[in-house]
Each structure stands twice: as C-alpha cells, then as structure tokens.
Amino acid sequence: MNYPFCPEEELKDVGKYRPVPKPYGVPSFPVRKFNTPITPKENFLRLARGEKPLWMPNFSVDFNCLQPMVMPDAYARTYGGTDWFGIEWQYEELSRAAMVKPGTRRLSDIVNWEKELVFPDLKAIDWEKDYQEHYAELMEPDRATTFIIVNGCFERLADLTSFEDTFCYLLEEPEAVGNFFEKLTDFHIELFKIARDVYHADAITFHDDMGTQINSFMSPVTFREVLLPHYKRMNQAAHDMGLYIILHSCGCVGNQMENFCDAGFDFWEGQDNCNDKAALLKQTTSRMGQVSVFQPPAEMDGEELQQYVENHVKTMADSGRYMPWVVNTNPGRKVDINEVIYVTSRKLYCKEMEEK
C-alpha cells in the first residue's frame, strides 16, 4: 500500500510524547509527535524486517528507550556504585559517566570464575513493580520500545579482571572463557524474557564495546572462535521471542561487520568518528542495519543546519536500514531537526515507491 506524503496533514500539531525516563542518566523531555500514516512502531518493524520504511525512524522521536535503574548494572554504570557482579564503579564528572574504580578486581583469574562469582538472581527483583511505578503511565504503545543492557560478554570479563588479562584469556584460556560466556549468555537470555514480558520490548540495545579509535580489540578470527557462538545463540533466542537486537559497539570495528552479521545482530550502533558508517552500511545492508548518534554542531542553525541535516538523511537513507539518534545540544534553534529528518526521508521514500 502506498502512502503519499501529505505535509499539511502529517505536520499538523497533534501534541507531544510524554517523557519516558531516559537511559544513561540523560534528562528526558516531551518530544513532538508527527501525524504519521502508520505508527512509528509499524514503521520500525518494516525497517527491521528488511522492508522500506515510510520515513527514517528517529530514536529520539519514535522509540520508548528504557534502561531501568532497578538493574544494578544500569545504576552503577550511570551514577557509580556496585554492579550485578560486585564490581565497584566510580562516577567521573568530566565524562558524566562511571568507570570501574581504579584498583578494583573482582575475579582473580578466569579459571576461577565458578568458585569466585555468584550470578545474580533475576527473580529477586520486582520487575512488575518497577514497570508500574516508573514506566506504565508514560509508555506510548504506538512507539517501538528498546530495552538497554550494558556489559556484554567481552566488557564483563574486562571489568571483572583487566583489559590486559582479558586479551590473554581470549587466546590462552579459550575453554574457561567459553564456559563463562555460556553461563553469561544464559543470564542475558533470561533478562531478555523480562524485557519482553514485563517492559513490552520490541528490541534490545546490547552493549559490548569492541575497539579503540584505530582498530578492534581482537582479530576477526578470535571473535569467530571465542564470541560468535555465544552471540549467535543469544540472538537466536531473542529472535525466537520476537525481539530485534541492536549491538552497541564503540571503537573502530569495521573489520568485524561480517562477524556481527553472522552472529545474527539486526543492527549495529557504532561511532561515526572512527568508522566510515556510510560505506559499512552499504556493505551490510542486506543483513544488518545501523543506528548512529546524530549531533549537529551546536552553533549551526538556519539554512546551513537545514542543508546539513538533509545531506545526512540523503547519504544514509538509500539502504532503508538506518536510524539516527538525534542529540540536540542547542534546543533554541529555529530549525526543527526532527522535522527535517521526517520530511526529507518521507519525500525520498515516497518517490522510490512511486517509481516502483
């Protein structure tokens, strides 16, 4: 079915979405609704299934983004404190986030993980109470919902020990690492079920940073041998639940794209400043989409900003597999960034459908 773009109807004032508590400790604000021909959730699902969306989904508008602070990991990583596995995190004012407190080591050696680690009991948390108290009245059913989980397999091992030792363990203790990751994957799958059943998630945003600014932490061969089997099982379990998986992985990880696809991740959320995101999207279009933070310079406004946003949309829209997460550091601008993204992508996708 075609949906011709009708700006008079689609851009009229239909109110704002209520502010759902934001992840990562970011303040939440009401955001403008568009009078869309299908719901934002339906539009996201079209993209996730590999179909062309009617417009470019915008995380800042089209999603309920949840990171319940009842999860010790979420709270510790945001404000400091002790996470699910007993690791102490320290808040850093400069970065406005928390890091593992210097000198902390929770696990003496990977070969001792079964003796020294106690896995969290997810049933000990009253998830339904948290949902009712913090989310139920604010959730918008016409938006897609993503549930954010930090500390994937690689990150967790590095946080428990050290980065240096983790690199060694990947090569020297593959059996112990594999057994630990298998247990950790079971834990993540159980958490996915809670995200779906209690918080009504459509997607999981799953964090596991894999690189520095210049290269990945490990070779593609090591990833395939050590991490891929566990992530493939995890993602298959998520797909069996009807969930889509967005891998948030910072660093220069372009050499891992085929691995991310083979593992079954549906989207990759990565850094623009150390990856050629447009080229990588072309490489993976048929198998995996992308999410990116989109943050126009704070001083930019007017025609310059309008053109800047339009160019970004036109560059990334062709695949129909891209979603920006707009960060507007100057809310007093005359140009509505979210509107420019909506209008530009609506016109582009309408034109494509008409030509077909």
Side-chain angles (χ1 to χ4, degrees):
M1 182 176 180
N2 287 335
Y3 297 89
F5 180 43
C6 181
E8 296 80 9
E9 186 67 21
E10 295 178 39
L11 300 181
K12 72 181 183 181
D13 186 1
V14 290
K16 295 184 176 183
Y17 288 116
R18 292 166 293 181
V20 176
K22 285 282 188 182
Y24 316 121
V26 176
S28 57
F29 304 96
V31 62
R32 175 187 174 185
K33 290 183 182 181
F34 296 100
N35 192 31
T36 56
I38 62 174
T39 66
K41 179 175 178 176
E42 290 175 280
N43 192 57
F44 161 71
L45 293 175
R46 286 173 70 121
L47 180 147
R49 292 191 297 259
E51 304 165 13
K52 274 289 172 74
L54 300 192
W55 69 94
M56 181 180 282
N58 180 345
F59 254 73
S60 304
V61 178
D62 298 343
F63 280 78
N64 302 303
C65 299
L66 314 183
Q67 189 189 29
M69 288 296 143
V70 72
M71 297 188 292
D73 277 1
Y75 191 91
R77 287 285 302 265
T78 303
Y79 303 110
T82 303
D83 71 12
W84 249 322
F85 285 78
I87 303 164
E88 190 173 354
W89 293 75
Q90 183 173 293
Y91 182 78
E92 296 291 342
E93 187 65 40
L94 186 63
S95 62
R96 297 182 182 180
M99 297 295 292
V100 175
K101 185 177 179 180
T104 298
R105 187 175 181 113
R106 179 67 183 82
L107 179 61
S108 64
D109 192 286
I110 186 60
V111 297
N112 298 324
W113 74 267
E114 290 180 282
K115 299 176 184 177
E116 297 180 5
L117 296 182
V118 177
F119 270 70
D121 179 7
L122 292 176
K123 294 183 177 65
I125 294 175
D126 192 337
W127 300 99
E128 187 61 43
K129 179 174 181 287
D130 179 69
Y131 177 78
Q132 293 299 328
E133 289 183 354
H134 296 107
Y135 299 101
E137 293 184 3
L138 300 172
M139 295 283 281
E140 302 279 0
D142 65 336
R143 297 164 104 183
T145 296
T146 189
F147 186 98
I148 296 169
I149 297 172
V150 292
N151 299 82
C153 290
F154 174 79
E155 281 190 32
R156 181 75 69 186
L157 183 53
D159 295 338
L160 286 165
T161 56
S162 71
F163 273 93
E164 295 89 341
D165 284 348
T166 295
F167 296 144
C168 293
Y169 296 148
L170 295 178
L171 299 174
E172 298 174 355
E173 298 290 351
E175 184 177 354
V177 169
N179 291 338
F180 173 59
F181 285 173
E182 183 173 0
K183 179 74 171 177
L184 197 56
T185 298
D186 291 338
F187 169 76
H188 288 140
I189 292 171
E190 187 178 353
L191 188 54
F192 290 0
K193 293 175 183 175
I194 292 166
R196 181 198 61 183
D197 295 343
V198 180
Y199 294 87
H200 311 292
D202 302 293
I204 301 292
T205 297
F206 185 87
H207 284 235
D208 208 359
D209 294 340
M210 295 281 182
T212 67
Q213 287 291 106
I214 59 175
N215 209 344
S216 61
F217 285 136
M218 68 198 77
S219 72
V221 171
T222 299
F223 184 102
R224 292 190 73 82
E225 292 176 350
V226 182
L227 280 164
L228 192 145
H230 306 287
Y231 278 154
K232 191 170 185 177
R233 180 167 72 90
M234 181 187 81
N235 291 335
Q236 185 59 58
H239 294 155
D240 290 344
M241 297 180 214
L243 294 168
Y244 293 95
I245 302 293
I246 302 164
L247 173 65
H248 171 105
S249 191
C250 287
C252 182
V253 294
N255 62 341
Q256 301 289 2
M257 288 300 107
E258 290 303 313
N259 281 335
F260 293 168
C261 291
D262 289 345
F265 290 108
D266 300 291
F267 298 90
W268 167 53
E269 180 180 80
Q271 285 178 261
D272 288 69
N273 62 4
C274 60
N275 295 283
D276 187 341
K277 298 295 290 294
L280 291 172
L281 183 57
K282 288 181 180 178
Q283 177 185 326
T284 66
T285 292
S286 64
R287 303 182 67 197
M288 183 175 70
Q290 274 191 26
V291 180
S292 278
V293 168
F294 179 57
Q295 183 175 323
E299 68 278 6
M300 191 179 286
D301 203 355
E303 290 185 12
E304 183 184 19
L305 177 60
Q306 177 90 20
Q307 194 63 53
Y308 182 86
V309 178
E310 287 182 4
N311 288 343
H312 181 75
V313 172
K314 291 173 182 177
T315 299
M316 304 301 289
D318 185 55
S319 68
R321 303 298 309 280
Y322 173 78
M323 300 183 287
W325 191 323
V326 174
V327 176
N328 187 0
T329 54
N330 181 4
R333 298 187 237 233
K334 298 175 185 177
V335 172
D336 183 341
I337 297 172
N338 293 330
E339 180 179 306
V340 178
I341 291 172
Y342 180 79
V343 171
T344 305
S345 61
R346 249 328 246 129
K347 289 178 177 177
L348 284 171
Y349 292 143
C350 275
K351 184 179 179 182
E352 287 184 17
M353 290 176 185
E354 288 170 1
E355 290 174 350
K356 290 179 180 179

PDB file of all heavy atoms in Angstrom, residues 30-60:
ATOM      1  N   PRO A  30       9.456  16.155  26.881  1.00  0.00           N
ATOM      2  CA  PRO A  30       8.426  15.836  25.884  1.00  0.00           C
ATOM      3  C   PRO A  30       8.987  16.057  24.482  1.00  0.00           C
ATOM      4  O   PRO A  30       9.835  16.924  24.270  1.00  0.00           O
ATOM      5  CB  PRO A  30       7.304  16.835  26.198  1.00  0.00           C
ATOM      6  CG  PRO A  30       7.556  17.275  27.603  1.00  0.00           C
ATOM      7  CD  PRO A  30       9.036  17.235  27.793  1.00  0.00           C
ATOM      8  N   VAL A  31       8.522  15.279  23.516  1.00  0.00           N
ATOM      9  CA  VAL A  31       9.010  15.418  22.140  1.00  0.00           C
ATOM     10  C   VAL A  31       7.812  15.453  21.187  1.00  0.00           C
ATOM     11  O   VAL A  31       6.808  14.771  21.404  1.00  0.00           O
ATOM     12  CB  VAL A  31       9.982  14.267  21.776  1.00  0.00           C
ATOM     13  CG1 VAL A  31       9.285  12.917  21.844  1.00  0.00           C
ATOM     14  CG2 VAL A  31      10.610  14.496  20.422  1.00  0.00           C
ATOM     15  N   ARG A  32       7.941  16.258  20.164  1.00  0.00           N
ATOM     16  CA  ARG A  32       6.846  16.479  19.209  1.00  0.00           C
ATOM     17  C   ARG A  32       6.457  15.201  18.474  1.00  0.00           C
ATOM     18  O   ARG A  32       7.308  14.441  18.020  1.00  0.00           O
ATOM     19  CB  ARG A  32       7.286  17.532  18.185  1.00  0.00           C
ATOM     20  CG  ARG A  32       6.296  17.766  17.072  1.00  0.00           C
ATOM     21  CD  ARG A  32       6.897  18.686  16.024  1.00  0.00           C
ATOM     22  NE  ARG A  32       6.038  18.828  14.858  1.00  0.00           N
ATOM     23  CZ  ARG A  32       6.389  19.497  13.764  1.00  0.00           C
ATOM     24  NH1 ARG A  32       7.580  20.064  13.694  1.00  0.00           N
ATOM     25  NH2 ARG A  32       5.553  19.567  12.740  1.00  0.00           N
ATOM     26  N   LYS A  33       5.147  14.992  18.362  1.00  0.00           N
ATOM     27  CA  LYS A  33       4.615  13.902  17.557  1.00  0.00           C
ATOM     28  C   LYS A  33       4.395  14.380  16.123  1.00  0.00           C
ATOM     29  O   LYS A  33       4.127  15.555  15.887  1.00  0.00           O
ATOM     30  CB  LYS A  33       3.249  13.435  18.085  1.00  0.00           C
ATOM     31  CG  LYS A  33       3.248  12.706  19.398  1.00  0.00           C
ATOM     32  CD  LYS A  33       1.816  12.270  19.715  1.00  0.00           C
ATOM     33  CE  LYS A  33       1.724  11.559  21.045  1.00  0.00           C
ATOM     34  NZ  LYS A  33       0.332  11.114  21.345  1.00  0.00           N
ATOM     35  N   PHE A  34       4.502  13.459  15.190  1.00  0.00           N
ATOM     36  CA  PHE A  34       4.083  13.725  13.822  1.00  0.00           C
ATOM     37  C   PHE A  34       2.838  12.885  13.545  1.00  0.00           C
ATOM     38  O   PHE A  34       2.682  11.788  14.096  1.00  0.00           O
ATOM     39  CB  PHE A  34       5.201  13.397  12.840  1.00  0.00           C
ATOM     40  CG  PHE A  34       6.412  14.270  13.015  1.00  0.00           C
ATOM     41  CD1 PHE A  34       7.523  13.802  13.708  1.00  0.00           C
ATOM     42  CD2 PHE A  34       6.433  15.561  12.520  1.00  0.00           C
ATOM     43  CE1 PHE A  34       8.630  14.607  13.888  1.00  0.00           C
ATOM     44  CE2 PHE A  34       7.540  16.376  12.691  1.00  0.00           C
ATOM     45  CZ  PHE A  34       8.645  15.900  13.384  1.00  0.00           C
ATOM     46  N   ASN A  35       1.972  13.393  12.707  1.00  0.00           N
ATOM     47  CA  ASN A  35       0.715  12.699  12.383  1.00  0.00           C
ATOM     48  C   ASN A  35       0.986  11.685  11.272  1.00  0.00           C
ATOM     49  O   ASN A  35       0.583  11.858  10.127  1.00  0.00           O
ATOM     50  CB  ASN A  35      -0.348  13.711  11.974  1.00  0.00           C
ATOM     51  CG  ASN A  35      -1.734  13.101  11.921  1.00  0.00           C
ATOM     52  OD1 ASN A  35      -2.038  12.176  12.675  1.00  0.00           O
ATOM     53  ND2 ASN A  35      -2.563  13.616  11.045  1.00  0.00           N
ATOM     54  N   THR A  36       1.675  10.637  11.626  1.00  0.00           N
ATOM     55  CA  THR A  36       2.216   9.683  10.655  1.00  0.00           C
ATOM     56  C   THR A  36       1.132   8.757  10.085  1.00  0.00           C
ATOM     57  O   THR A  36       0.166   8.418  10.775  1.00  0.00           O
ATOM     58  CB  THR A  36       3.304   8.826  11.320  1.00  0.00           C
ATOM     59  OG1 THR A  36       2.755   8.176  12.486  1.00  0.00           O
ATOM     60  CG2 THR A  36       4.471   9.695  11.759  1.00  0.00           C
ATOM     61  N   PRO A  37       1.280   8.332   8.827  1.00  0.00           N
ATOM     62  CA  PRO A  37       0.267   7.469   8.207  1.00  0.00           C
ATOM     63  C   PRO A  37       0.207   6.065   8.806  1.00  0.00           C
ATOM     64  O   PRO A  37      -0.819   5.391   8.721  1.00  0.00           O
ATOM     65  CB  PRO A  37       0.681   7.427   6.735  1.00  0.00           C
ATOM     66  CG  PRO A  37       2.125   7.797   6.732  1.00  0.00           C
ATOM     67  CD  PRO A  37       2.318   8.733   7.878  1.00  0.00           C
ATOM     68  N   ILE A  38       1.324   5.579   9.348  1.00  0.00           N
ATOM     69  CA  ILE A  38       1.330   4.345  10.140  1.00  0.00           C
ATOM     70  C   ILE A  38       2.050   4.685  11.442  1.00  0.00           C
ATOM     71  O   ILE A  38       2.700   5.726  11.556  1.00  0.00           O
ATOM     72  CB  ILE A  38       2.036   3.166   9.416  1.00  0.00           C
ATOM     73  CG1 ILE A  38       3.509   3.485   9.140  1.00  0.00           C
ATOM     74  CG2 ILE A  38       1.308   2.815   8.125  1.00  0.00           C
ATOM     75  CD1 ILE A  38       4.302   2.321   8.552  1.00  0.00           C
ATOM     76  N   THR A  39       1.962   3.832  12.442  1.00  0.00           N
ATOM     77  CA  THR A  39       2.587   4.154  13.721  1.00  0.00           C
ATOM     78  C   THR A  39       4.110   4.058  13.608  1.00  0.00           C
ATOM     79  O   THR A  39       4.636   3.312  12.773  1.00  0.00           O
ATOM     80  CB  THR A  39       2.131   3.209  14.834  1.00  0.00           C
ATOM     81  OG1 THR A  39       2.618   1.874  14.557  1.00  0.00           O
ATOM     82  CG2 THR A  39       0.612   3.182  14.959  1.00  0.00           C
ATOM     83  N   PRO A  40       4.833   4.809  14.436  1.00  0.00           N
ATOM     84  CA  PRO A  40       6.292   4.671  14.463  1.00  0.00           C
ATOM     85  C   PRO A  40       6.744   3.232  14.703  1.00  0.00           C
ATOM     86  O   PRO A  40       7.745   2.788  14.143  1.00  0.00           O
ATOM     87  CB  PRO A  40       6.713   5.591  15.604  1.00  0.00           C
ATOM     88  CG  PRO A  40       5.652   6.645  15.635  1.00  0.00           C
ATOM     89  CD  PRO A  40       4.369   5.910  15.317  1.00  0.00           C
ATOM     90  N   LYS A  41       6.007   2.504  15.520  1.00  0.00           N
ATOM     91  CA  LYS A  41       6.359   1.101  15.772  1.00  0.00           C
ATOM     92  C   LYS A  41       6.235   0.277  14.489  1.00  0.00           C
ATOM     93  O   LYS A  41       7.145  -0.506  14.167  1.00  0.00           O
ATOM     94  CB  LYS A  41       5.473   0.511  16.865  1.00  0.00           C
ATOM     95  CG  LYS A  41       5.754  -0.954  17.166  1.00  0.00           C
ATOM     96  CD  LYS A  41       4.926  -1.445  18.348  1.00  0.00           C
ATOM     97  CE  LYS A  41       5.167  -2.917  18.626  1.00  0.00           C
ATOM     98  NZ  LYS A  41       4.444  -3.383  19.832  1.00  0.00           N
ATOM     99  N   GLU A  42       5.147   0.450  13.760  1.00  0.00           N
ATOM    100  CA  GLU A  42       4.986  -0.276  12.497  1.00  0.00           C
ATOM    101  C   GLU A  42       6.091   0.092  11.519  1.00  0.00           C
ATOM    102  O   GLU A  42       6.601  -0.765  10.780  1.00  0.00           O
ATOM    103  CB  GLU A  42       3.619   0.047  11.880  1.00  0.00           C
ATOM    104  CG  GLU A  42       2.423  -0.522  12.624  1.00  0.00           C
ATOM    105  CD  GLU A  42       1.115  -0.047  12.016  1.00  0.00           C
ATOM    106  OE1 GLU A  42       0.709   1.088  12.307  1.00  0.00           O
ATOM    107  OE2 GLU A  42       0.513  -0.810  11.240  1.00  0.00           O
ATOM    108  N   ASN A  43       6.454   1.365  11.494  1.00  0.00           N
ATOM    109  CA  ASN A  43       7.496   1.824  10.590  1.00  0.00           C
ATOM    110  C   ASN A  43       8.845   1.198  10.932  1.00  0.00           C
ATOM    111  O   ASN A  43       9.592   0.758  10.045  1.00  0.00           O
ATOM    112  CB  ASN A  43       7.595   3.344  10.644  1.00  0.00           C
ATOM    113  CG  ASN A  43       8.440   3.922   9.535  1.00  0.00           C
ATOM    114  OD1 ASN A  43       8.187   3.700   8.355  1.00  0.00           O
ATOM    115  ND2 ASN A  43       9.466   4.677   9.912  1.00  0.00           N
ATOM    116  N   PHE A  44       9.163   1.123  12.243  1.00  0.00           N
ATOM    117  CA  PHE A  44      10.403   0.460  12.664  1.00  0.00           C
ATOM    118  C   PHE A  44      10.385  -1.012  12.265  1.00  0.00           C
ATOM    119  O   PHE A  44      11.393  -1.546  11.781  1.00  0.00           O
ATOM    120  CB  PHE A  44      10.597   0.584  14.176  1.00  0.00           C
ATOM    121  CG  PHE A  44      11.563  -0.428  14.732  1.00  0.00           C
ATOM    122  CD1 PHE A  44      12.924  -0.325  14.466  1.00  0.00           C
ATOM    123  CD2 PHE A  44      11.115  -1.503  15.500  1.00  0.00           C
ATOM    124  CE1 PHE A  44      13.819  -1.266  14.956  1.00  0.00           C
ATOM    125  CE2 PHE A  44      12.005  -2.441  15.989  1.00  0.00           C
ATOM    126  CZ  PHE A  44      13.361  -2.326  15.719  1.00  0.00           C
ATOM    127  N   LEU A  45       9.265  -1.676  12.471  1.00  0.00           N
ATOM    128  CA  LEU A  45       9.188  -3.100  12.151  1.00  0.00           C
ATOM    129  C   LEU A  45       9.371  -3.347  10.655  1.00  0.00           C
ATOM    130  O   LEU A  45       9.963  -4.352  10.261  1.00  0.00           O
ATOM    131  CB  LEU A  45       7.867  -3.684  12.646  1.00  0.00           C
ATOM    132  CG  LEU A  45       7.703  -3.737  14.169  1.00  0.00           C
ATOM    133  CD1 LEU A  45       6.305  -4.223  14.551  1.00  0.00           C
ATOM    134  CD2 LEU A  45       8.765  -4.628  14.810  1.00  0.00           C
ATOM    135  N   ARG A  46       8.880  -2.441   9.830  1.00  0.00           N
ATOM    136  CA  ARG A  46       9.122  -2.566   8.384  1.00  0.00           C
ATOM    137  C   ARG A  46      10.621  -2.562   8.114  1.00  0.00           C
ATOM    138  O   ARG A  46      11.142  -3.407   7.380  1.00  0.00           O
ATOM    139  CB  ARG A  46       8.460  -1.406   7.631  1.00  0.00           C
ATOM    140  CG  ARG A  46       6.953  -1.503   7.519  1.00  0.00           C
ATOM    141  CD  ARG A  46       6.365  -0.241   6.908  1.00  0.00           C
ATOM    142  NE  ARG A  46       6.708  -0.125   5.491  1.00  0.00           N
ATOM    143  CZ  ARG A  46       5.818  -0.057   4.510  1.00  0.00           C
ATOM    144  NH1 ARG A  46       4.522  -0.127   4.768  1.00  0.00           N
ATOM    145  NH2 ARG A  46       6.210   0.063   3.255  1.00  0.00           N
ATOM    146  N   LEU A  47      11.322  -1.595   8.706  1.00  0.00           N
ATOM    147  CA  LEU A  47      12.767  -1.497   8.514  1.00  0.00           C
ATOM    148  C   LEU A  47      13.482  -2.732   9.049  1.00  0.00           C
ATOM    149  O   LEU A  47      14.376  -3.286   8.403  1.00  0.00           O
ATOM    150  CB  LEU A  47      13.276  -0.227   9.198  1.00  0.00           C
ATOM    151  CG  LEU A  47      14.771   0.084   9.120  1.00  0.00           C
ATOM    152  CD1 LEU A  47      14.988   1.593   9.089  1.00  0.00           C
ATOM    153  CD2 LEU A  47      15.520  -0.501  10.304  1.00  0.00           C
ATOM    154  N   ALA A  48      13.083  -3.185  10.232  1.00  0.00           N
ATOM    155  CA  ALA A  48      13.735  -4.328  10.862  1.00  0.00           C
ATOM    156  C   ALA A  48      13.564  -5.605  10.050  1.00  0.00           C
ATOM    157  O   ALA A  48      14.455  -6.468  10.029  1.00  0.00           O
ATOM    158  CB  ALA A  48      13.189  -4.524  12.276  1.00  0.00           C
ATOM    159  N   ARG A  49      12.431  -5.709   9.355  1.00  0.00           N
ATOM    160  CA  ARG A  49      12.183  -6.891   8.514  1.00  0.00           C
ATOM    161  C   ARG A  49      12.865  -6.795   7.153  1.00  0.00           C
ATOM    162  O   ARG A  49      12.773  -7.716   6.351  1.00  0.00           O
ATOM    163  CB  ARG A  49      10.671  -7.065   8.308  1.00  0.00           C
ATOM    164  CG  ARG A  49       9.901  -7.452   9.551  1.00  0.00           C
ATOM    165  CD  ARG A  49       8.477  -7.868   9.203  1.00  0.00           C
ATOM    166  NE  ARG A  49       7.715  -6.783   8.624  1.00  0.00           N
ATOM    167  CZ  ARG A  49       6.830  -6.039   9.277  1.00  0.00           C
ATOM    168  NH1 ARG A  49       6.607  -6.264  10.576  1.00  0.00           N
ATOM    169  NH2 ARG A  49       6.157  -5.083   8.658  1.00  0.00           N
ATOM    170  N   GLY A  50      13.543  -5.687   6.887  1.00  0.00           N
ATOM    171  CA  GLY A  50      14.202  -5.511   5.605  1.00  0.00           C
ATOM    172  C   GLY A  50      13.318  -4.877   4.551  1.00  0.00           C
ATOM    173  O   GLY A  50      13.680  -4.832   3.373  1.00  0.00           O
ATOM    174  N   GLU A  51      12.153  -4.359   4.955  1.00  0.00           N
ATOM    175  CA  GLU A  51      11.264  -3.652   4.047  1.00  0.00           C
ATOM    176  C   GLU A  51      11.586  -2.157   4.126  1.00  0.00           C
ATOM    177  O   GLU A  51      12.128  -1.682   5.124  1.00  0.00           O
ATOM    178  CB  GLU A  51       9.800  -3.885   4.432  1.00  0.00           C
ATOM    179  CG  GLU A  51       9.415  -5.361   4.495  1.00  0.00           C
ATOM    180  CD  GLU A  51       8.091  -5.579   5.215  1.00  0.00           C
ATOM    181  OE1 GLU A  51       7.360  -4.586   5.438  1.00  0.00           O
ATOM    182  OE2 GLU A  51       7.800  -6.732   5.585  1.00  0.00           O
ATOM    183  N   LYS A  52      11.248  -1.406   3.085  1.00  0.00           N
ATOM    184  CA  LYS A  52      11.481   0.038   3.124  1.00  0.00           C
ATOM    185  C   LYS A  52      10.492   0.690   4.099  1.00  0.00           C
ATOM    186  O   LYS A  52       9.279   0.463   4.013  1.00  0.00           O
ATOM    187  CB  LYS A  52      11.324   0.655   1.727  1.00  0.00           C
ATOM    188  CG  LYS A  52      12.594   0.596   0.892  1.00  0.00           C
ATOM    189  CD  LYS A  52      13.665   1.549   1.413  1.00  0.00           C
ATOM    190  CE  LYS A  52      15.009   1.349   0.709  1.00  0.00           C
ATOM    191  NZ  LYS A  52      15.044   1.861  -0.647  1.00  0.00           N
ATOM    192  N   PRO A  53      10.995   1.514   5.011  1.00  0.00           N
ATOM    193  CA  PRO A  53      10.095   2.258   5.895  1.00  0.00           C
ATOM    194  C   PRO A  53       9.463   3.421   5.139  1.00  0.00           C
ATOM    195  O   PRO A  53       9.871   3.749   4.027  1.00  0.00           O
ATOM    196  CB  PRO A  53      11.049   2.765   6.986  1.00  0.00           C
ATOM    197  CG  PRO A  53      12.355   2.927   6.276  1.00  0.00           C
ATOM    198  CD  PRO A  53      12.410   1.802   5.254  1.00  0.00           C
ATOM    199  N   LEU A  54       8.457   4.044   5.740  1.00  0.00           N
ATOM    200  CA  LEU A  54       7.845   5.226   5.124  1.00  0.00           C
ATOM    201  C   LEU A  54       8.670   6.477   5.405  1.00  0.00           C
ATOM    202  O   LEU A  54       8.594   7.453   4.661  1.00  0.00           O
ATOM    203  CB  LEU A  54       6.414   5.427   5.623  1.00  0.00           C
ATOM    204  CG  LEU A  54       5.419   4.296   5.359  1.00  0.00           C
ATOM    205  CD1 LEU A  54       4.006   4.766   5.655  1.00  0.00           C
ATOM    206  CD2 LEU A  54       5.519   3.795   3.926  1.00  0.00           C
ATOM    207  N   TRP A  55       9.388   6.481   6.499  1.00  0.00           N
ATOM    208  CA  TRP A  55      10.325   7.552   6.821  1.00  0.00           C
ATOM    209  C   TRP A  55      11.477   6.944   7.608  1.00  0.00           C
ATOM    210  O   TRP A  55      11.422   5.783   8.020  1.00  0.00           O
ATOM    211  CB  TRP A  55       9.651   8.682   7.616  1.00  0.00           C
ATOM    212  CG  TRP A  55       9.243   8.306   9.015  1.00  0.00           C
ATOM    213  CD1 TRP A  55       9.951   8.479  10.176  1.00  0.00           C
ATOM    214  CD2 TRP A  55       7.997   7.688   9.416  1.00  0.00           C
ATOM    215  NE1 TRP A  55       9.249   8.011  11.263  1.00  0.00           N
ATOM    216  CE2 TRP A  55       8.040   7.530  10.832  1.00  0.00           C
ATOM    217  CE3 TRP A  55       6.858   7.269   8.721  1.00  0.00           C
ATOM    218  CZ2 TRP A  55       6.997   6.962  11.553  1.00  0.00           C
ATOM    219  CZ3 TRP A  55       5.818   6.703   9.454  1.00  0.00           C
ATOM    220  CH2 TRP A  55       5.900   6.553  10.847  1.00  0.00           C
ATOM    221  N   MET A  56      12.537   7.695   7.780  1.00  0.00           N
ATOM    222  CA  MET A  56      13.699   7.220   8.518  1.00  0.00           C
ATOM    223  C   MET A  56      13.374   7.236  10.016  1.00  0.00           C
ATOM    224  O   MET A  56      13.163   8.308  10.597  1.00  0.00           O
ATOM    225  CB  MET A  56      14.902   8.133   8.226  1.00  0.00           C
ATOM    226  CG  MET A  56      16.177   7.735   8.927  1.00  0.00           C
ATOM    227  SD  MET A  56      17.535   8.877   8.511  1.00  0.00           S
ATOM    228  CE  MET A  56      17.983   8.264   6.874  1.00  0.00           C
ATOM    229  N   PRO A  57      13.283   6.068  10.667  1.00  0.00           N
ATOM    230  CA  PRO A  57      12.982   6.056  12.098  1.00  0.00           C
ATOM    231  C   PRO A  57      14.008   6.878  12.879  1.00  0.00           C
ATOM    232  O   PRO A  57      15.205   6.806  12.611  1.00  0.00           O
ATOM    233  CB  PRO A  57      13.057   4.573  12.467  1.00  0.00           C
ATOM    234  CG  PRO A  57      12.780   3.849  11.185  1.00  0.00           C
ATOM    235  CD  PRO A  57      13.412   4.702  10.119  1.00  0.00           C
ATOM    236  N   ASN A  58      13.510   7.631  13.835  1.00  0.00           N
ATOM    237  CA  ASN A  58      14.343   8.527  14.631  1.00  0.00           C
ATOM    238  C   ASN A  58      14.214   8.101  16.088  1.00  0.00           C
ATOM    239  O   ASN A  58      13.139   8.201  16.687  1.00  0.00           O
ATOM    240  CB  ASN A  58      13.850   9.963  14.428  1.00  0.00           C
ATOM    241  CG  ASN A  58      14.632  10.994  15.203  1.00  0.00           C
ATOM    242  OD1 ASN A  58      15.383  10.671  16.113  1.00  0.00           O
ATOM    243  ND2 ASN A  58      14.428  12.260  14.860  1.00  0.00           N
ATOM    244  N   PHE A  59      15.310   7.631  16.659  1.00  0.00           N
ATOM    245  CA  PHE A  59      15.264   7.127  18.030  1.00  0.00           C
ATOM    246  C   PHE A  59      14.735   8.173  19.002  1.00  0.00           C
ATOM    247  O   PHE A  59      14.093   7.838  20.000  1.00  0.00           O
ATOM    248  CB  PHE A  59      16.666   6.670  18.468  1.00  0.00           C
ATOM    249  CG  PHE A  59      16.821   5.186  18.531  1.00  0.00           C
ATOM    250  CD1 PHE A  59      16.898   4.435  17.372  1.00  0.00           C
ATOM    251  CD2 PHE A  59      16.873   4.530  19.750  1.00  0.00           C
ATOM    252  CE1 PHE A  59      17.034   3.061  17.427  1.00  0.00           C
ATOM    253  CE2 PHE A  59      17.010   3.158  19.810  1.00  0.00           C
ATOM    254  CZ  PHE A  59      17.093   2.417  18.650  1.00  0.00           C
ATOM    255  N   SER A  60      15.029   9.440  18.742  1.00  0.00           N
ATOM    256  CA  SER A  60      14.635  10.498  19.668  1.00  0.00           C
ATOM    257  C   SER A  60      13.137  10.757  19.660  1.00  0.00           C
ATOM    258  O   SER A  60      12.613  11.378  20.586  1.00  0.00           O
ATOM    259  CB  SER A  60      15.376  11.796  19.311  1.00  0.00           C
ATOM    260  OG  SER A  60      16.763  11.593  19.303  1.00  0.00           O
TER     261      SER A  60
END
